[in-house]
Amino acid sequence: MISLPVLMMMVVVGISMAVAAVHFTGGSRVTRLVDTRQALDRFAEDFPDLKPGTVQLTEHGDTAFIDLGDGRTGIVHTIGDRFLTRIVTPTEIEFVGLDDSKVMTLRLKDFTWRGGRFAFADAADARAVFNALNPNNHPARQEAA
């Protein structure tokens, strides 16, 4: 029978090896959007038929918000070394607010990605994204929901 200290050591070594394997095979890599062109290109991979408008990038390049017109906003968000893309309308928003002039909080009704806090380098960009996503700015869309 194996003693408890030996068993604990085996568990610690096993978990450490699993974490190291994930790290060395690229599992801990993080990607960023370097500019608006990369955001548009990545969005076009999933939605090639749409004609995007202006793009606002977050301060650290982890998310891009793309104006699609007609009350829709495209989102490209980094998760690890991958990208998540969404099209969001104001009816899909549970909450959107500006915490200060440059930080926006977005909570979606979609359980697969709930949103988050997004810091912008420019207050005008934060305000533009907030206004585009704010359900109060789209009364016709509210009535339809």
Side-chain angles (χ1 to χ4, degrees):
M1 183 136 77
I2 299 176
S3 67
L4 185 58
V6 172
L7 182 59
M8 286 178 31
M9 183 57 83
M10 289 172 56
V11 168
V12 168
V13 169
I15 290 173
S16 298
M17 289 177 63
V19 168
V22 168
H23 174 74
F24 290 117
T25 59
S28 61
R29 240 180 287 143
V30 176
T31 192
R32 294 285 178 241
L33 295 162
V34 294
D35 58 18
T36 58
R37 178 81 268 155
Q38 183 189 13
L40 289 170
D41 289 346
R42 182 57 193 92
F43 188 77
E45 285 182 34
D46 291 337
F47 303 101
D49 297 335
L50 296 178
K51 303 295 181 222
T54 58
V55 178
Q56 280 90 17
L57 281 175
T58 56
E59 185 173 25
H60 300 293
D62 55 349
T63 307
F65 294 89
I66 305 167
D67 178 28
L68 300 173
D70 197 27
R72 299 176 306 155
T73 301
I75 300 175
V76 178
H77 179 70
T78 61
I79 297 178
D81 66 342
R82 308 284 180 188
F83 294 99
L84 168 129
T85 56
R86 291 281 189 274
I87 296 175
V88 176
T89 64
T91 60
E92 300 169 67
I93 295 176
E94 192 172 287
F95 173 80
V96 63
L98 281 176
D99 298 347
D100 65 31
S101 64
K102 295 182 183 180
V103 179
M104 182 187 73
T105 300
L106 174 65
R107 206 168 36 243
L108 301 173
K109 296 174 184 175
D110 183 353
F111 73 92
T112 62
W113 184 63
R114 299 289 296 167
R117 289 176 47 89
F118 306 95
F120 294 85
D122 182 58
D125 285 348
R127 174 66 58 189
V129 173
F130 170 77
N131 288 337
L133 294 173
N134 190 346
N136 296 328
N137 293 339
H138 304 276
R141 297 223 178 269
Q142 271 186 316
E143 293 168 10

